[in-house]
Amino acid sequence: MVLEATMICIDNSEWMRNGDYSPSRLRAQADAVSLICGAKTQSNPENTVGILTMGGKGVRVLTTPTTDLGKILACMHELDIGGEMNIAAGIQVAQLALKHRQNKNQRQRIIVFAGSPVKYDRKVMEMIGKKLKKNSVAIDIVNFGEDDDGKPEKLEALLAAVNNNDSSHLVHVPTGPNALSDVLISSPVFTADGEGGSGFAAAAAAAAAGGVSDFDFGVDPNIDPELALALRVSMEEERARQEAAAKRAADEASRQGKEEEPSSNSQDATMTDNTNNTAAETTEKTADPMDEEKSLLERAFAMSMGTSVSDTSMADADTSKATDEDKELALALQMSMQDDTKDPSNQSDMSKVLGDQSFVSSILTSLPGVDPNDPSVKDLIASLQGQPEVCP
Amino acid sequence: MSAESTTAINRSIVDLLDFIDWSGVECLNHNTAHSLPNAIKQGYREDEGLYLESDADEQLLIYLPFTQVVKLHSIVVKGPEEEGPKTVKLFSNREHMGFSNVNDFPPSDTAVLTPDNLKGKPVVLKFVKFQNVRSLTIFIEDNQSGSEVTKVDKIALFGTTVETTDMKGLKKIEDNH
């Protein structure tokens, strides 16, 4: 809850037209800036934030440090792109703006968004850093966008010159699916604010991205600890199971491992489609029933192969939900058979296994929650009698 | 030394340590491990091991507000022979100066410290310039040997208070009745 005056230096040079951070680099910066302003004001109501742009015709101060968020957001709408970023002048003007802040008790901080190449050399950056340190100004540098050679070193030289007891930070944001703001939320730029800031940041993360954030499983432990814990536990169980499965595969013939892995991966895909529509990379982070389902299937196959089940982490796998399981089981078996058709080397072994109807029905009956008299299960068993086909 | 009591008119020169307003004290470019209280606070400043040290370069800017108006007579600055301060500029009643504007206006007084001073000999200031001091800014511009880092063992200010607001004296008079 430190009392702080912040100047944010925005890069609005021509390089910011690029769309590698959606929707464009400039708008990604604008989003990040509004989040930062919110976090700062929330962590201490007396904090002030000001904005200046470094590109265009020259460095231009849009607002001097103020507590009024509305004014800041209004300025963000008026940003236009052009020119080249002048980082040295930008930082110096920011320092001057901070020097003339109303409340001299506030600490001074500059946040620089460095998206385009830095045309100054290391010496200049170090001198600027020294001046900042002398006047006890902390700086946060966000390195994104252009990555020409020498830029990371120059920024690191600047950071080293300014840094005093870790009050200054440098954050690299690579291009990728994650938005600029999301990466920043979990970085020291936000979390250095302390409890108030991180609470705000957490709420913003949950609201904005809907799962694609650096919090594990897209759920902030602050908001919903039980769900986060449950997801984490199931994730670890799944990881343990997969490791055990991989170990079994290594021990036994490699075919077994291939069968189990593709089937479980395809189950992942299926289940994800069925349950929620999150992004593809969160396929592993699904709810508990699916994990238990997979584990049962793997155990069944393992038993059929005559290997001993080494992992005991699925002790609770028996408590599964019935309705989902029927459908999933059927689909899973079909998918695994589909994989067999694609992979000729597996086919003989797999179809031998599944062709044995008595064996299959014994598996199905052994699984709790599966009623062998259920029509869908009966259909499935019937279809197993014939050749493996493409399933409807 | 503590402030003397009884008569309000005859004020002798005392250590102004008691009148420093600690909530407003600032020091720029100091090394956080070796900070200002080491040089000013009673007890700390007598300790040779505790000193104030500069950080990025050899200059230091110290801002000391007072709880009441004082007249400043002399100062003592003690430091090591090599890295002790040399040129010290004093500004009275200028708030929140920075390194960029120290040269913008003339100092109320400038002291060039000799090795004697660094051992404890007080520097007598132009008393007429310091008659009405609410705050004092001490700018240490360079040090004796020109090294990168300046070290200060002790800073002591001597002077008198201005008004007859000696509460201890007041109480004593009442007791006599």
Side-chain angles (χ1 to χ4, degrees):
Chain A
M1 229 71 68
V2 60
L3 184 55
E4 203 170 54
T6 309
M7 277 301 286
I8 304 184
C9 303
I10 296 183
D11 182 358
N12 64 336
S13 61
E14 288 287 349
W15 279 268
M16 294 300 111
R17 289 191 202 277
N18 196 329
D20 51 358
Y21 297 85
S22 63
S24 77
R25 288 178 181 174
L26 186 67
R27 293 262 57 99
Q29 274 188 83
D31 291 338
V33 168
S34 27
L35 277 177
I36 292 175
C37 295
K40 295 280 176 198
T41 336
Q42 227 200 30
S43 76
N44 187 327
E46 285 189 51
N47 279 350
T48 55
V49 181
I51 316 267
L52 63 82
T53 54
M54 294 189 284
K57 290 217 182 82
V59 175
R60 198 159 70 98
V61 176
L62 299 178
T63 46
T64 54
T66 170
T67 51
D68 185 3
L69 266 188
K71 200 163 154 200
I72 295 169
L73 293 174
C75 287
M76 300 307 300
H77 286 297
E78 292 166 358
L79 289 175
D80 51 354
I81 294 185
E84 269 187 21
M85 171 179 83
N86 186 348
I87 196 170
I91 294 179
Q92 283 166 345
V93 172
Q95 198 183 340
L96 202 60
L98 285 173
K99 197 170 125 186
H100 293 289
R101 62 196 187 283
Q102 303 274 28
N103 182 355
K104 303 287 181 188
N105 287 333
Q106 288 167 329
R107 304 263 195 84
Q108 303 173 68
R109 181 171 289 273
I110 300 177
I111 301 182
V112 180
F113 284 89
S116 36
V118 174
K119 59 186 184 215
Y120 295 93
D121 59 350
R122 267 186 76 141
K123 279 276 167 240
V124 176
M125 303 300 276
E126 280 173 2
M127 270 176 26
I128 296 176
K130 227 176 92 162
K131 248 183 85 181
L132 289 176
K133 188 173 180 186
K134 210 169 152 186
N135 289 293
S136 70
V137 178
I139 189 168
D140 288 333
I141 311 170
V142 180
N143 180 14
F144 70 107
E146 293 301 310
D147 195 15
D148 67 344
D149 44 9
K151 184 177 169 200
E153 285 84 24
K154 289 176 189 170
L155 294 178
E156 267 164 32
L158 174 60
L159 182 79
V162 183
N163 209 350
N164 186 3
N165 280 354
D166 263 347
S167 63
S168 303
H169 315 100
L170 169 58
V171 182
H172 292 278
V173 183
T175 53
N178 297 330
L180 183 61
S181 349
D182 297 329
V183 176
L184 281 183
I185 282 171
S186 53
S187 72
V189 174
F190 272 87
T191 53
D193 282 338
E195 289 313 308
S198 68
F200 172 88
V212 186
S213 76
D214 276 351
F215 283 116
D216 292 332
F217 317 115
V219 173
D220 176 26
N222 290 339
I223 294 177
D224 198 346
E226 290 105 15
L227 181 55
L229 184 63
L231 289 173
R232 194 183 306 131
V233 167
S234 75
M235 181 66 178
E236 278 161 14
E237 276 185 17
E238 174 55 33
R239 206 178 285 133
R241 262 175 253 129
Q242 282 195 346
E243 277 166 20
K247 232 186 332 178
R248 262 178 272 135
D251 292 342
E252 299 298 323
S254 59
R255 287 171 305 179
Q256 297 167 5
K258 278 192 213 147
E259 282 162 12
E260 286 163 2
E261 294 308 326
S263 66
S264 51
N265 286 343
S266 57
Q267 280 176 33
D268 266 335
T270 326
M271 286 163 206
T272 315
D273 290 342
N274 286 340
T275 51
N276 52 10
N277 293 325
T278 51
E281 55 241 25
T282 60
T283 50
E284 290 199 301
K285 303 169 185 169
T286 51
D288 284 328
M290 308 309 147
D291 295 340
E292 291 156 9
E293 171 57 26
K294 259 184 308 209
S295 72
L296 285 171
L297 203 55
E298 282 177 24
R299 197 164 58 169
F301 282 127
M303 289 196 304
S304 75
M305 297 305 154
T307 56
S308 60
V309 178
S310 53
D311 62 336
T312 54
S313 63
M314 48 188 118
D316 295 333
D318 290 349
T319 61
S320 45
K321 285 82 181 169
T323 48
D324 281 353
E325 197 174 354
D326 285 345
K327 256 185 292 187
E328 300 314 326
L329 184 56
L331 277 161
L333 286 172
Q334 286 162 357
M335 293 293 275
S336 59
M337 279 161 35
Q338 250 187 327
D339 281 54
D340 289 340
T341 58
K342 290 176 206 152
D343 192 340
S345 64
N346 292 345
Q347 186 161 7
S348 54
D349 209 354
M350 199 50 179
S351 51
K352 240 197 307 188
V353 171
L354 292 173
D356 189 352
Q357 197 225 343
S358 57
F359 164 68
V360 173
S361 43
S362 72
I363 293 181
L364 292 177
T365 48
S366 72
L367 294 174
V370 176
D371 185 2
N373 297 326
D374 193 346
S376 59
V377 177
K378 268 185 166 174
D379 285 347
L380 178 62
I381 295 173
S383 72
L384 288 177
Q385 296 291 64
Q387 283 302 313
E389 292 168 3
V390 180
C391 55
Chain B
M1 281 186 272
S2 55
E4 293 190 333
S5 55
T6 62
T7 59
I9 298 167
N10 177 21
R11 277 181 301 282
S12 52
I13 292 169
V14 297
D15 188 337
L16 296 174
L17 177 65
D18 300 328
F19 301 106
I20 292 178
D21 176 13
W22 290 101
S23 63
V25 162
E26 278 172 20
C27 182
L28 288 184
N29 197 31
H30 67 108
N31 187 333
T32 37
H34 299 280
S35 60
L36 186 61
N38 288 355
I40 298 197
K41 276 203 176 157
Q42 193 71 19
Y44 289 22
R45 62 189 188 181
E46 304 305 333
D47 188 337
E48 286 283 319
L50 293 176
Y51 50 85
L52 166 67
E53 190 179 271
S54 71
D55 196 5
D57 62 10
E58 73 280 3
Q59 296 183 340
L60 279 165
L61 193 62
I62 302 165
Y63 172 71
L64 298 169
F66 295 104
T67 52
Q68 58 169 118
V69 182
V70 297
K71 295 184 206 259
L72 191 60
H73 177 263
S74 57
I75 65 166
V76 167
V77 178
K78 278 171 77 173
E81 258 188 58
E82 291 281 310
E83 292 117 348
K86 188 162 98 184
T87 311
V88 175
K89 291 187 175 161
L90 298 165
F91 300 83
S92 80
N93 296 337
R94 294 239 183 247
E95 314 239 296
H96 305 290
M97 288 181 71
F99 288 103
S100 48
N101 58 357
V102 279
N103 294 319
D104 287 350
F105 20 75
S108 307
D109 202 358
T110 310
V112 179
L113 300 178
T114 63
D116 275 346
N117 294 125
L118 288 177
K119 292 207 176 48
K121 182 167 163 233
V123 179
V124 176
L125 305 167
K126 291 191 190 118
F127 202 38
V128 291
K129 299 264 187 174
F130 294 101
Q131 288 295 303
N132 199 359
V133 178
R134 275 229 142 259
S135 72
L136 182 68
T137 305
I138 304 172
F139 173 47
I140 298 177
E141 198 167 0
D142 52 21
N143 54 36
Q144 298 284 333
S145 60
S147 78
E148 276 289 302
V149 163
T150 303
K151 291 187 185 163
V152 182
D153 279 330
K154 172 179 170 178
I155 297 177
L157 305 168
F158 296 99
T160 69
T161 56
V162 174
E163 291 299 307
T164 63
T165 48
D166 193 1
M167 299 309 291
K168 294 194 193 97
L170 216 54
K171 275 203 191 105
K172 279 215 167 109
I173 292 167
E174 282 180 18
D175 283 345
N176 287 339
H177 288 314

